Amino acid sequence: MKKKVIVLTGAGISAESGIKTFRDSDGLWEEYRIEDVATYDAWLRNPALVLEFYNRRRTQLASVLPNRAHHALVMLEQKYDVRIITQNVDDLHERAGSSYILHLHGELTKVRSTANPELVTDIGYSEIGQGDKCSLGSQLRPHIVWFGEAVPLIQEASELTMQADILLVIGTSLAVYPAAGLVNYVPANCRIFLVDPGDLQVQWIKNLEFIREKAGTGVPDLVDRLLSETDNN
Ligand code: APR
């Protein structure tokens, strides 16, 4: 049986594709206030601004491509059972061709009904506006988990993480919970790698190998290394 690699990705893996991260010095949260665009209160107060914020993200997504890190994770599937848990709302893991992707914080290319959260539809890279309605006749909202909202897939993500032989954490500040807490769910003998060019923020992770590199170089190198290990099946 193939060993299981759980990959937790954050905005940093898509940075070299041209998508801004959130908390870096040129990040999105320098340009916008979270409470203006990424909370349920913001949506109630000023839906036009919230829609515009996500419309911009979605339009930009249409013009970028997966990078070497996304592609390397697909190669890793040759010898490992790879499950990606991403905090990203972009679709770059999908476009690179990864087989299993769980979007903890939602997806830009989908919208959902404000009347029934189960009613989710694909919109690709189109914009949504006020007055755009679901089949039940209620306003459509971005299929995004906003701050303060529940993270419906966290249970599935933690169950997956409990089965990890290897955990790869790529391009995330691990500042946002419950996603950051997933790292605590790995079995005691699990090897953990963190690929990120920034300072190590998390001193509390045991068995951690910190690879202080950008994802576009650090991930392909790590994937090569894991593929060349012979005891993996
Ligand atoms: N390669 C790898 N990592 C990078 C790169 C790169 N080229 N460039 C920047 N990084 C790293 C930064 O050093 C930082 O640790 O990516 C991380 C980005 O952190 P955040 O901006 O906090 O993004 P993320 O951890 O994904 O944020 C979590 O917060 O705002 C919310 O919902 C949003 O899903 C998001 C969540």
Side-chain angles (χ1 to χ4, degrees):
M1 222 174 51
K2 285 177 173 175
K3 282 192 176 172
K4 194 162 264 175
V5 180
I6 305 299
V7 188
L8 175 63
T9 62
I13 194 169
S14 299
E16 287 154 88
S17 292
I19 297 181
K20 282 190 172 186
T21 63
F22 296 97
R23 294 174 184 76
D24 286 306
S25 54
D26 60 346
L28 279 174
W29 298 150
E30 291 292 317
E31 208 177 321
Y32 298 88
R33 285 164 15 118
I34 289 175
E35 51 274 38
D36 289 340
V37 294
T39 66
Y40 188 64
D41 277 355
W43 171 246
L44 295 180
R45 232 180 13 250
N46 193 344
L49 182 65
V50 174
L51 288 174
E52 189 202 83
F53 176 73
Y54 289 102
N55 282 340
R56 280 198 192 174
R57 312 270 78 75
R58 203 178 298 110
T59 308
Q60 191 214 4
L61 181 55
S63 68
V64 302
L65 293 170
N67 64 50
R68 294 182 69 221
H70 299 99
H71 290 300
L73 292 175
V74 181
M75 302 298 289
L76 194 58
E77 293 185 18
Q78 290 171 2
K79 289 199 180 172
Y80 293 88
D81 178 3
V82 179
R83 310 296 177 100
I84 295 177
I85 301 171
T86 186
Q87 298 166 86
N88 298 344
V89 296
D90 67 50
D91 61 353
L92 297 183
H93 286 303
E94 279 87 352
R95 283 200 258 151
S98 282
S99 309
Y100 183 101
I101 307 150
L102 191 151
H103 281 274
L104 269 186
H105 294 163
E107 292 172 73
L108 270 178
T109 54
K110 293 183 176 163
V111 286
R112 71 171 182 261
S113 161
T114 44
N116 176 1
E118 304 289 309
L119 203 55
V120 177
T121 41
D122 275 309
I123 51 155
Y125 307 105
S126 321
E127 303 203 337
I128 47 172
Q130 283 182 285
D132 289 346
K133 302 214 165 92
C134 70
S135 55
L136 301 173
S138 75
Q139 174 67 42
L140 290 171
R141 60 164 277 180
H143 184 49
I144 299 287
V145 175
W146 287 320
F147 283 91
E149 293 191 307
V151 180
L153 294 176
I154 195 67
Q155 179 71 21
E156 193 175 331
S158 45
E159 281 165 16
L160 265 181
T161 310
M162 283 187 239
Q163 301 164 24
D165 294 300
I166 300 174
L167 176 71
L168 310 187
V169 182
I170 305 166
T172 172
S173 60
L174 292 172
V176 173
Y177 284 77
L182 285 173
V183 178
N184 295 319
Y185 283 81
V186 296
N189 57 353
C190 178
R191 294 155 72 196
I192 307 180
F193 299 88
L194 170 61
V195 182
D196 196 299
D199 291 332
L200 182 61
Q201 307 285 1
V202 281
Q203 266 67 26
W204 43 269
I205 303 179
K206 297 200 184 93
N207 299 338
L208 173 71
E209 184 178 331
F210 178 35
I211 299 170
R212 192 171 185 172
E213 277 186 60
K214 290 184 172 181
T217 49
V219 176
D221 287 354
L222 178 57
V223 164
D224 282 349
R225 198 172 126 192
L226 292 173
L227 287 174
S228 67
E229 289 182 4
T230 49
D231 64 339
N232 58 358
N233 43 35

